[in-house]
Amino acid sequence: MRAMEELIRTGLAELGINAPKEAPQLLARYGQALMEKNQVMNLTAITEPSDVATLHMLDCAALLNCVGLGGKTLIDVGTGAGFPGVPLKILTPALDVTLLDSLNKRVDWLSEVSGELSLTGIQAVQGRAEEMGRNPEFREQFDFATARAVAELRLLCELCLPFVKVGGRFLAMKGVDCGSELEDALPAIQALGGRVERCFDYTIPHTGVAHRVVIVEKTAQTPEQYPRRWAKLQKHPL
C-alpha cells in the first residue's frame, strides 16, 4: 500500500493539485479495499496496485484541474466502484457527494468503505439513472453530475443532465478520440437544456494515457419528458 500511496502523492504533485495532507493515504486505503473486495465481487478489471493508483485514483483527480468543487454538490451517475465520486470526495472534503448505482451490493460496499475511511457528506444510493432523474428529490438538485461510463455521450447526457441545476455542469469522462461522438451528441445536448462549454484534455501521471473531460453547461431546464425509459433511450437516441 505504501508504493500505491507514493505513486498517488507524486502524481497529485505532477497534476498541481493541492490535496489535503491525508488524501494520498486515504486514496491508497480505498484502493487496497477495492482490490480486496474485487476478489469476491466484480468491481474493476484494473487489479495491479500501480494501475489502481494511476488509472483510477489519478485519473479521477485530474477533474479538479477543470472545475472548482469545494462547497458544491455532485452526483456520480453509474458510479460502479465509486469512480470518480469517492476520490473527488477524499480530495475535496467540502464537496457533498451522492453515489448512484443500480446494483445494491455495490451501494452496500460503497457505504461500508466510506464509513471505514471516516468520510462524511457522502451517500450511496441504489437506483436506475433514468428513474432517479425523474425523482423530484434528485432532479435538477446538483451543481455537478459525473459519469465515467463507456456509454455513448448522447445517452450519457440524457441520463445525467436531468440531475444538474441550471448553471451547473455535467462532466463526462471520455477518451481523447471522442470527437465524432461529441459531434453526434450536440443535438441531444441542446434538446436537454445544455451546451458544450469546453473540453479538457490531460495525461494521467506515470502513464502515457491521455483522457478528456467533456464539460457540458446546463443552460435551461431539461424538458419533463427526459430521461426516457432505458429501452427507448437506447433504441432511439436523441
Side-chain angles (χ1 to χ4, degrees), residues 77 129-130 133 154-163 227 230 233:
V77 180
E130 68 273 22
R154 53 187 175 168
L155 301 183
L156 283 180
C157 286
E158 185 167 349
L159 292 174
C160 295
L161 275 173
F163 291 107
W230 177 245
L233 192 149

Side-chain angles (χ1 to χ4, degrees), residues 124-146:
V125 177
Q126 190 271 328
R128 297 183 63 86
E130 68 273 22
E131 295 168 3
M132 299 299 277
R134 289 180 165 276
N135 184 328
E137 288 184 36
F138 291 86
R139 187 177 180 89
E140 299 190 329
Q141 296 298 309
F142 298 90
D143 298 305
F144 293 96
T146 53

Side-chain angles (χ1 to χ4, degrees), residues 79-227:
T79 188
F83 300 112
V86 176
L88 292 177
K89 175 64 190 179
I90 290 170
L91 291 162
T92 315
L95 174 67
D96 189 276
V97 173
T98 297
L99 306 169
L100 178 63
D101 199 82
S102 60
L103 279 188
N104 211 43
K105 61 182 182 179
R106 282 201 290 253
V107 166
D108 287 345
W109 179 75
L110 287 166
S111 297
E112 181 184 310
V113 79
S114 295
E116 289 172 1
L117 298 174
S118 300
L119 301 180
T120 58
I122 185 168
Q123 63 168 341
V125 177
Q126 190 271 328
R128 297 183 63 86
E130 68 273 22
E131 295 168 3
M132 299 299 277
R134 289 180 165 276
N135 184 328
E137 288 184 36
F138 291 86
R139 187 177 180 89
E140 299 190 329
Q141 296 298 309
F142 298 90
D143 298 305
F144 293 96
T146 53
R148 196 176 178 235
V150 293
E152 195 182 342
L153 187 57
R154 53 187 175 168
L155 301 183
L156 283 180
C157 286
E158 185 167 349
L159 292 174
C160 295
L161 275 173
F163 291 107
V164 181
K165 298 174 182 176
V166 174
R169 282 155 183 78
F170 167 42
L171 310 175
M173 300 178 74
K174 305 297 283 183
V176 290
D177 57 351
C178 72
S180 61
E181 188 181 331
L182 176 55
E183 193 69 29
D184 289 343
L186 291 176
I189 290 169
Q190 186 173 14
L192 294 160
R195 73 169 186 93
V196 177
E197 185 176 287
R198 62 191 175 97
C199 292
F200 173 78
D201 291 358
Y202 60 94
T203 300
I204 304 171
H206 310 304
T207 77
V209 179
H211 281 166
R212 172 174 295 165
V213 183
V214 179
I215 304 170
V216 180
E217 182 188 8
K218 183 78 169 278
T219 57
Q221 288 188 322
T222 299
E224 63 180 24
Q225 67 264 36
Y226 304 117

